[in-house]
Amino acid sequence: MDTLDKTDLQILSILQNNARLTTKELASQVNLSSTPVFERLKRLENGGYIKKYIAVLDAEKLNQGFIVFCSVKLSKLNRDIAAEFTKIVQDIPEVTECYNISGSYDYLLKIHAPNMKYYQEFILNVLGSINSLGSLTSTFVMDEVKHNYGIPL
Amino acid sequence: MDTLDKTDLQILSILQNNARLTTKELASQVNLSSTPVFERLKRLENGGYIKKYIAVLDAEKLNQGFIVFCSVKLSKLNRDIAAEFTKIVQDIPEVTECYNISGSYDYLLKIHAPNMKYYQEFILNVLGSINSLGSLTSTFVMDEVKHNYGIPL
DNA sequence: TGTGAAAAGCATTAGGC
DNA sequence: GCCTAATGCTTTTCACA
């Protein structure tokens, strides 16, 4: 599978907003019957276009609504130190995202915490204890204005 | 519904990684039969703990693998200008996330594009034409090290 | 809250255009 | 590549511990 037609993109676009539609409902939205939609779905899943299906939770209600973007500079930027840092980061549950970035910092981390107090302790105890980490700047999220959980299609 | 027990959290934790399990499979993972799991699910959905179910797509394969964090400073920070800016941002598909942040900038935008050329044009044509926007800095993502699509539980 | 079984509805496959 | 129709699961409801 290498090319997607308009219907495939339509299916992906619908599913990245709501993955709980039945094949039937999905089919009616793209003006087809279930069988071809079902087959397209399998092709999209097996072709890796759809990576997984997930539930989006309410961070606020689950007491994880305090969000911080944490910019990190490594103690020194080389392959070993970068590898060490990224490995450690994978196992820290509060770090929900981590990007290697351009600019004055090396990494951008998205962090979820219950509140400022928790975050402060987290910085001191968890991030602060990482040797490969040089410096760090916290940018606090005051409001989540938009969050698509998807990509433009 | 106001309190979640350990089983509820376990269910949420499983679902934010894989929402395609059958009730039966989910039930066996939490050592219950389908009915109570089904009822808990409905409670979690109706209580707003689960906001929605989505398909996670492969941005790379869908030609949207060029990711930029764009820091924006408004021309002037007041309620009207902020409202105008956030309203416009909602309708720009390339902007997949937008946060009101602390620090030297007012907003942090996550932007998906096919490539640098596209992004350059996007900045000039789309973001550049927003009046409420003062200045802007692009931070390019070189590598997505971690992306959980979930929160710590 | 929980169990197990039955009913209603879906996903999935088969057979044909 | 599409359709309709059949089958086997799943979800969902219900009676009951």
Side-chain angles (χ1 to χ4, degrees):
Chain A
M1 164 179 225
D2 26 20
T3 55
L4 302 184
D5 64 13
K6 212 183 154 186
T7 306
D8 290 321
L9 291 175
Q10 229 182 320
I11 291 174
L12 291 176
S13 179
I14 294 168
L15 287 179
Q16 75 174 343
N17 283 303
N18 180 6
R20 270 283 161 112
L21 295 170
T22 63
T23 313
K24 216 179 190 175
E25 290 164 328
L26 196 53
S28 94
Q29 290 201 33
V30 300
N31 296 311
L32 282 173
S33 63
S34 332
T35 311
V37 171
F38 175 74
E39 283 163 355
R40 281 164 184 272
L41 259 173
K42 290 306 151 199
R43 259 190 302 130
L44 292 167
E45 288 167 3
N46 297 333
Y49 293 91
I50 296 172
K51 293 206 284 190
K52 56 179 179 174
Y53 296 92
I54 62 161
V56 176
L57 308 184
D58 188 315
E60 202 71 59
K61 289 208 166 194
L62 291 159
N63 204 25
Q64 295 290 342
F66 190 79
I67 303 172
V68 185
F69 282 99
C70 186
S71 305
V72 164
K73 202 164 173 53
L74 296 186
S75 53
K76 197 182 162 214
L77 183 54
N78 66 37
R79 185 172 294 274
D80 288 349
I81 291 180
E84 187 196 314
F85 178 74
T86 57
K87 188 170 180 301
I88 292 172
V89 144
Q90 300 290 343
D91 294 330
I92 305 176
E94 289 88 349
V95 176
T96 58
E97 300 176 35
C98 173
Y99 304 91
N100 183 14
I101 54 170
S102 70
S104 323
Y105 291 91
D106 300 318
Y107 292 93
L108 182 65
L109 276 52
K110 188 179 186 187
I111 294 169
H112 276 262
N115 52 49
M116 177 67 92
K117 186 78 197 149
Y118 184 101
Y119 181 71
Q120 185 200 6
E121 291 294 325
F122 172 77
I123 290 293
L124 295 174
N125 298 329
V126 182
L127 293 189
S129 72
I130 302 176
N131 274 320
S132 42
L133 190 149
S135 68
L136 177 159
T137 299
S138 300
T139 301
F140 299 104
V141 170
M142 300 191 288
D143 188 30
E144 192 179 79
V145 173
K146 180 181 187 178
H147 197 161
N148 253 1
Y149 299 100
I151 56 177
L153 285 179
Chain B
M1 162 179 223
D2 25 21
T3 55
L4 302 184
D5 64 13
K6 212 184 154 186
T7 306
D8 290 322
L9 291 175
Q10 230 182 319
I11 290 174
L12 291 175
S13 179
I14 295 169
L15 287 179
Q16 75 175 343
N17 283 303
N18 180 7
R20 270 283 163 110
L21 296 169
T22 63
T23 313
K24 215 180 191 176
E25 290 165 328
L26 196 53
S28 93
Q29 289 200 35
V30 300
N31 296 311
L32 282 172
S33 62
S34 331
T35 310
V37 171
F38 175 74
E39 282 163 356
R40 281 165 184 273
L41 260 173
K42 291 305 152 201
R43 259 190 304 129
L44 292 167
E45 288 167 3
N46 297 332
Y49 293 91
I50 296 172
K51 293 206 284 191
K52 57 179 179 172
Y53 296 90
I54 62 161
V56 176
L57 307 184
D58 188 314
E60 202 69 62
K61 288 208 166 196
L62 290 159
N63 204 26
Q64 295 289 344
F66 190 81
I67 302 171
V68 185
F69 282 98
C70 188
S71 305
V72 164
K73 202 164 174 55
L74 297 186
S75 54
K76 197 182 161 213
L77 183 53
N78 67 35
R79 186 173 292 274
D80 287 349
I81 291 181
E84 187 196 314
F85 178 75
T86 56
K87 188 170 180 301
I88 292 172
V89 144
Q90 300 291 343
D91 293 330
I92 305 176
E94 287 89 349
V95 176
T96 58
E97 300 174 36
C98 174
Y99 304 90
N100 182 14
I101 54 170
S102 69
S104 325
Y105 291 91
D106 299 318
Y107 292 94
L108 182 65
L109 276 52
K110 188 178 185 187
I111 294 169
H112 275 263
N115 51 49
M116 177 66 93
K117 187 77 197 151
Y118 183 101
Y119 180 71
Q120 185 201 6
E121 290 294 325
F122 172 76
I123 290 293
L124 296 173
N125 298 329
V126 183
L127 294 189
S129 72
I130 302 176
N131 274 320
S132 42
L133 190 150
S135 68
L136 176 162
T137 299
S138 299
T139 300
F140 299 104
V141 170
M142 299 191 289
D143 189 29
E144 191 178 76
V145 172
K146 181 180 187 178
H147 198 160
N148 254 1
Y149 299 100
I151 58 177
L153 286 178

